Amino acid sequence: MKNEASTSHADRHVRLFGRENSALAYEIRDFLRRSVVDFDWIELQSNADCQRELGLPVLDEIRMPVVVLPDGERLFEPSVRELAHKLGWITQPRLKEYELSIYGAGPAGLSAAVYAASEGIQTVLIERSAIGGQAGTSSLIENYMGYPEGISGAELAERARQQAVKFGVDILLLREGIKAEFVNNRIRAVMADGTQMVARANICATGVEYAKLDLAEEDRFLRKGLYYGAGASEAQMCKGEHVFVVGGGNSAGQAVVHFAKYAKRVTMLVRGHGPKASMSKYLSERLASLSNVEIQVNASVQSLIGEDCLRQITLQDNRDESQQTVDTRKLFVCIGGKPNTEWAKDTPIIRDDQGYLITGPDLLNDGKAPECWPLSRMPYFLETSVPGSFAAGDVRHGSVKRLASAVGDGAMCVTFTHRYLRETM
Ligand SMILES: Cc1cc2nc3c(=O)[nH]c(=O)nc-3n(C[C@H](O)[C@H](O)[C@H](O)COP(=O)(O)OP(=O)(O)OC[C@H]3O[C@@H](n4cnc5c(N)ncnc54)[C@H](O)[C@@H]3O)c2cc1C
């Protein structure tokens, strides 16, 4: 059976119509962009726009946004799931049981999928959102080996997806693993939609979730001026704007450089005395060279102000707690995050105090495996405290939080998966 996901997403042109500050339109744009789908975004402001673009007379009477699919079908106010379904991307598992299930299709999960399937392991890759994970939101990755000019995260992920599909991986998009149990050398995972997935081994590559600012109005302005992550799909909409980016690390730095190409001015808000020491040298140099970029240090966002969408933010100078209110319609929050490991909380998988999955030698205490470990051998390098259950990428305790390391982890997990599958034949 041909996996629907094997066709290139790029050959399907979609048109999206909607109002400027629609949260759903943002969600759809973000999903399409991360999935490398060619699309036009057409903003509708008046009945005349509506008549001209859609042949419908009254703007207020339309359920927006409207998506026009490549075959001309119109979807009114569709969910991302509905849209993905219409584009043929939600597939059903082909097998009742797989040799390997991988949760998370970021760089670690994609790499594991490519290596596992290319080595003949029956593999299913489960992703709750779009392919690419955090890397998929990056406008330009410049430090990944083999791409001297840099590559957009979404394009890199799409190439990996095609490679995985070529080797026969089943990819299930918009499915989220929420619970797991380990019985008879099998992992049984329950998905958010109630379905179950059974596999002999599994790799958790669920990465990290963006941290929030912890402000009262965050939910109200989410995707209506306030965005978590670099929001690469929004860059075009930043023309002529004064954009603020919160964060002092690599992802914030990249976002600033990208937005600076479109925005009138970009202010990077850093809580401490300057960008993080971990920021790559090339990025700090790039930031310093951009005339429309400024770095405001000792700064934190105190409140978000607006009616239907964000219009102003209040900033505090952390040295003397003085405050000022500034106009902006675009605030991007890139302050790292916490691991996606809620699903593991009722399992014997050991997590550290921040929720990262502990693996291999880090599980040992005085050279001894934890009490819950049932085998005479020690856990393999990337194996969690449950035999056959591995962790790769940012979700792993002690991980480096870099694309190449996530890809390396994914590939390495496959070697251990082989050993584990042989042991439990
Ligand atoms: C904007 C930005 C720019 C970056 N730029 C660079 C760079 O230039 N160079 C570099 O080396 N690194 C960069 N990084 C860091 C790099 O992207 C990460 O280290 C890398 O993506 C980690 O990969 P991962 O697969 O471990 O996790 P993630 O990328 O976080 O992917 C995890 C995936 O798991 C999915 N998921 C989570 N929970 C579940 C669940 N329960 N069920 C199913 N799926 C689930 C998520 O939706 C996500 O797709 C950047 C990060 C960001 C945010």
Side-chain angles (χ1 to χ4, degrees), residues 34 103-109 126-130 132-135 137-138 140-143 175-178 205-208 210 230 251 254 282 340 343 392-395 401-404 406:
R34 290 170 58 186
Y103 291 83
I126 297 133
E127 167 56 53
R128 67 173 179 186
S129 156
Q134 298 167 69
T137 67
S138 170
L140 193 66
I141 294 169
E142 294 190 68
N143 59 359
R175 305 239 178 161
E176 181 174 9
I178 53 166
T206 50
V208 296
Y210 295 119
S251 58
Q254 269 187 17
Y282 81 89
N340 290 311
W343 64 270
D394 283 11
V395 78
K401 314 285 183 295
R402 285 279 196 274
L403 177 67

Side-chain angles (χ1 to χ4, degrees), residues 12 23 56 81 89 104 116 145 150 154 175 182-183 219 224 242 253 272 275 327 330 352 364 369 373 375 410 425:
R12 302 173 172 212
L56 298 169
R81 191 178 177 80
W89 299 343
M145 194 195 73
R175 305 239 178 161
F182 299 90
V183 187
D219 286 348
K224 295 177 175 181
H242 183 182
D327 292 343
K330 303 277 176 197
D352 68 13
L364 307 186
W373 180 254
L375 306 180
M425 285 284 261

